[in-house]
Amino acid sequence: MSATASKALPCLLLALLISGTAFSADVIKRQRPGDEAPAGDIPPQAPAPIDKDAIPRPARDLPRESIGIPDRWRLIETLGVVKENRLDPYNQNTLKADRPLHDDWFLNLALISDTVLEPRNVPTPVGPQTTGSAGQLDVLGSDEQTIFVENLIMSVVYYKGDTIFRPPDYEYRFTAVANYNRVDADELRALRIDPDDGKTRTDSHLGVQDLYFDKHLRNVSDRYDFDSLRIGIQPITADFRGFLFIDNPFGVRLFGTRDNNIYQYNLAWFRRMEKDTNSGLNDLGQSLREDDVFLANLYRQDYPSLGFNSQLVFLYNRNREDEFEFDRNGFLVRPASIGFEKLNEYDVTYLGYNGDGHFGRHNISLSTYYAFGQEERALFTDLETDISAVFAALEYSRDYDWMRARISLLYGSGDEDPFDDKSTGFDAVFENPLFAGADTSYWIRQPVPNIGGGGVALSGRNGILNSLRSSKEQGQSNFTNPGIRLLGFGMDFDLLPEWRVSFNLNHLWFDTTEVLETARNQGSIDNDIGWDVSVASIYRPYMSQNVIFRASVAALVPGDGFEQMFGDDTQYTILANLVLAY
């Protein structure tokens, strides 16, 4: 190539590039809606700056195309992505309130099977009339028992409104529980007062745990803070851990939120319902009890620190039960068969503070109560007494990757002098504590009878307080009791996302034993109840609440006080629990 040609080639390429750019811009300027594209294929060119005024705006007279959608809940199905399967609770399902049943009304159905098999041993007295084992002349008999329980729970919720951003406008809820239970014991009269009824008891009951109407009264802010009113049989929990009052009574409750849900409140009146003796469920076949609970509580989120919630509680319990009541097994439940065995009425007020949350990596749950009031007749004086009792509980835990370590402390005051004019033993209205291992603990799960001291239990089933009640479900509160102290340590291990193993070790003491010594007419009784040790396994194969298998083993190794009352045998319980939920 000559020197002249080599100089002319760059100039030619530059001219062609300028010419092509001008041609592309001319094509863009000439095209309008409806214009035909220029003939021929145009090779891709580098984009050039375009004047915004050169691009036409859409004309108003252009036709618009739109696709009708029934509603936003059916949007995915309209696009053909998801189809409904009413047997599947996790995908589009009208029966699980994923879409309206009609208009803005939703239906949510739930069906749960809860099965329990529980071999255990509990201190059991020899029947006073007769025994099934010849040669038993001692106070204590065979303590082996086996329990089988099946609860079939059906819940129906029918409500109007969108609950994503605000509460429903109207809600109707019905929950029924069909219960079957069977208990086998080694001693006559352990299950029913008539020894002719044998050593096995089979029973069933249909209980209604929810039956209420909920009305959304108003919104009080643009963040959907609200006031609502609920009337009927409904669940209520007075505090975070269920220490004071957790039940399904009949009542009226006004509740709502303020300041972007930072404050939550309840104002309520409840009248307690009679419970079925062997299932513990509500019994609609009996009249409401003369036992009223007035509750006011206030929750404050993120106080005093972000991540920690505080609660103030005011609860007034007014009891006017003035008739003798026997349970379905023939045992006296009101008044308790201890002391003077006379009808009792009482007024007691509880003031409490509860907290639950975390400070950094430190998890803390605490509860404190002061109870005061009057009761018409104390157990051992038959005189009016003043009630003054205290309660405190603290659980501290910290997470270490897949492990959580817990320390539990609990104190319920006891009555040091059952013959004075003060009742200082703390008792709750209806407890079911989630604390120190909860119902996997032997002491919390099992009712330990006060053999030789009246027809009462030291602590009721699924209860932690030594209240000397005839029954947690049907009996009255008792403020002449020995109280309790607990120090516990626990560990939770998340071995797999589906599998958790928990270990709990609790040491228990009576706060004072004068009441026990008086009731049993026994000399000095030591405060030491003993060591409560338990191991529990929870397995959820689908990492959800639809299938849960729980198994636990717990034992109570007697301390000096327990040995003096019931002997030195180690008490145990084994629990197998299967929950299937739709």
Side-chain angles (χ1 to χ4, degrees):
M1 183 180 295
S2 64
T4 303
S6 62
K7 293 180 180 180
L9 182 59
C11 295
L12 178 61
L13 292 175
L14 179 62
L16 290 175
L17 179 60
I18 295 174
S19 175
T21 302
F23 175 75
S24 299
D26 184 64
V27 170
I28 294 174
K29 288 181 180 179
R30 286 191 293 107
Q31 284 191 281
R32 296 289 187 270
D35 289 352
E36 295 181 358
D41 295 330
I42 301 176
Q45 302 289 336
I50 301 173
D51 185 358
K52 63 179 181 179
D53 294 332
I55 300 176
R57 298 176 179 178
R60 293 184 178 181
D61 56 349
L62 288 179
R64 295 186 178 183
E65 296 183 2
S66 60
I67 301 175
I69 299 174
D71 54 53
R72 63 188 180 87
W73 295 280
R74 295 179 175 86
L75 173 61
I76 298 179
E77 183 175 325
T78 303
L79 297 175
V81 179
V82 175
K83 299 297 182 181
E84 180 172 5
N85 182 355
R86 297 193 175 184
L87 297 178
D88 182 356
Y90 279 101
N91 288 299
Q92 287 287 310
N93 192 335
T94 304
L95 299 181
K96 302 300 290 184
D98 291 325
R99 301 184 303 176
L101 187 66
H102 62 88
D103 299 327
D104 290 333
W105 287 88
F106 294 79
L107 180 69
N108 193 350
L109 301 180
L111 189 64
I112 301 173
S113 170
D114 189 347
T115 307
V116 172
L117 178 64
E118 183 179 3
R120 68 180 186 180
N121 66 344
V122 176
T124 307
V126 173
Q129 297 96 337
T130 184
T131 178
S133 302
Q136 288 198 105
L137 302 177
D138 204 350
V139 174
L140 296 174
S142 177
D143 55 9
E144 299 290 334
Q145 298 181 10
T146 302
I147 299 174
F148 175 79
V149 177
E150 170 63 31
N151 284 312
L152 187 62
I153 307 166
M154 182 187 70
S155 179
V156 181
V157 185
Y158 181 58
Y159 65 90
K160 174 182 172 62
D162 178 8
T163 60
I164 297 177
F165 300 108
R166 60 184 179 86
D169 298 319
Y170 302 94
E171 180 180 344
Y172 300 87
R173 184 183 293 263
F174 172 75
T175 301
V177 182
N179 171 272
Y180 170 84
N181 61 84
R182 176 188 172 94
V183 184
D184 295 289
D186 283 351
E187 281 294 332
L188 293 171
R189 204 177 177 271
L191 306 177
R192 288 194 172 100
I193 198 166
D194 187 352
D196 285 342
D197 290 332
K199 302 178 183 179
T200 299
R201 184 188 67 211
T202 301
D203 198 9
S204 60
H205 180 72
L206 180 63
V208 176
Q209 301 302 99
D210 293 327
L211 183 60
Y212 66 75
F213 165 70
D214 189 316
K215 173 67 173 69
H216 179 68
L217 300 178
R218 61 172 183 165
N219 293 322
V220 296
S221 73
D222 57 1
R223 298 296 184 93
Y224 292 110
D225 290 311
F226 68 94
D227 295 314
S228 287
L229 184 68
R230 182 173 294 176
I231 302 174
I233 303 171
Q234 56 189 284
I236 183 66
T237 302
D239 53 51
F240 295 111
R241 293 299 187 103
F243 287 122
L244 182 62
F245 183 51
I246 174 170
D247 199 3
N248 291 74
F250 174 84
V252 178
R253 180 161 72 106
L254 177 68
F255 62 99
T257 65
R258 291 294 187 275
D259 196 12
N260 197 21
N261 200 35
I262 291 178
Y263 294 95
Q264 301 153 21
Y265 75 90
N266 289 283
L267 295 172
W269 161 78
F270 299 103
R271 174 151 287 196
R272 297 185 63 197
M273 303 183 65
E274 288 285 6
K275 304 291 187 182
D276 175 66
T277 302
N278 298 322
S279 68
L281 301 172
N282 289 339
D283 189 350
L284 292 185
Q286 301 187 59
S287 301
L288 296 176
R289 297 176 59 173
E290 291 288 330
D291 194 7
D292 296 308
V293 175
F294 299 86
L295 173 67
N297 60 22
L298 177 67
Y299 296 83
R300 171 69 160 88
Q301 294 195 64
D302 298 325
Y303 183 83
S305 175
L306 185 67
F308 190 84
N309 300 324
S310 293
Q311 182 210 39
L312 297 175
V313 177
F314 169 87
L315 188 146
Y316 167 55
N317 186 200
R318 176 183 179 274
N319 186 284
R320 294 295 183 269
E321 293 175 305
D322 56 0
E323 295 183 0
F324 280 78
E325 181 74 20
F326 294 84
D327 65 20
R328 292 179 56 191
N329 299 324
F331 297 102
L332 179 65
V333 290
R334 294 196 301 269
S337 183
I338 184 175
F340 278 95
E341 202 174 282
K342 288 189 176 182
L343 293 166
N344 187 27
E345 298 178 0
Y346 52 85
D347 296 87
V348 58
T349 299
Y350 298 86
L351 299 178
Y353 169 79
N354 299 279
D356 189 80
H358 66 91
F359 296 89
R361 298 183 62 184
H362 305 280
N363 307 308
I364 294 178
S365 182
L366 61 92
S367 181
T368 57
Y369 284 106
Y370 173 59
F372 61 94
Q374 294 81 34
E375 59 179 340
E376 185 182 32
R377 292 185 178 90
L379 287 181
F380 302 106
T381 64
D382 197 25
L383 299 174
E384 180 177 313
T385 61
D386 293 328
I387 299 169
S388 180
V390 295
F391 171 87
L394 171 69
E395 185 169 276
Y396 167 80
S397 65
R398 181 170 177 178
D399 296 320
Y400 299 89
D401 195 8
W402 51 277
M403 298 181 295
R404 168 173 288 192
R406 290 178 282 106
I407 298 176
S408 303
L409 298 168
L410 183 139
Y411 173 77
S413 62
D415 196 336
E416 295 182 350
D417 186 354
F419 298 103
D420 64 7
D421 60 353
K422 286 188 178 295
S423 298
T424 58
F426 185 87
D427 197 6
V429 181
F430 191 78
E431 60 166 334
N432 194 350
L434 183 63
F435 186 79
D439 62 352
T440 61
S441 156
Y442 181 92
W443 192 259
I444 293 177
R445 184 167 183 83
Q446 302 305 331
V448 179
N450 187 38
I451 300 169
V456 297
L458 286 175
S459 63
R461 186 171 179 84
N462 294 329
I464 198 170
L465 300 172
N466 295 320
S467 54
L468 295 181
R469 286 193 185 195
S470 58
S471 162
K472 190 183 81 170
E473 290 80 11
Q474 296 178 273
Q476 295 174 297
S477 297
N478 173 34
F479 302 93
T480 305
N481 65 62
I484 188 169
R485 303 174 193 171
L486 179 148
L487 171 62
F489 172 76
M491 290 288 295
D492 298 330
F493 303 93
D494 290 325
L495 303 179
L496 296 171
E498 309 94 327
W499 185 25
R500 169 176 290 184
V501 175
S502 297
F503 168 79
N504 290 279
L505 178 65
N506 303 322
H507 198 177
L508 302 119
W509 300 266
F510 298 114
D511 182 46
T512 181
T513 58
E514 285 80 2
V515 173
L516 297 175
E517 294 165 2
T518 301
R520 294 170 56 91
N521 194 24
Q522 183 175 344
S524 178
I525 297 177
D526 195 84
N527 293 70
D528 190 4
I529 296 174
W531 291 93
D532 184 344
V533 57
S534 62
V535 178
S537 171
I538 300 177
Y539 180 62
R540 302 182 304 159
Y542 301 107
M543 291 183 287
S544 70
Q545 300 300 104
N546 294 86
V547 179
I548 305 173
F549 179 71
R550 184 166 62 118
S552 67
V553 178
L556 179 69
V557 181
D560 290 341
F562 195 92
E563 285 187 11
Q564 293 163 1
M565 299 169 65
F566 307 116
D568 58 1
D569 290 343
T570 298
Q571 308 296 308
Y572 76 90
T573 178
I574 300 173
L575 174 68
N577 178 212
L578 176 63
V579 177
L580 305 174
Y582 167 77

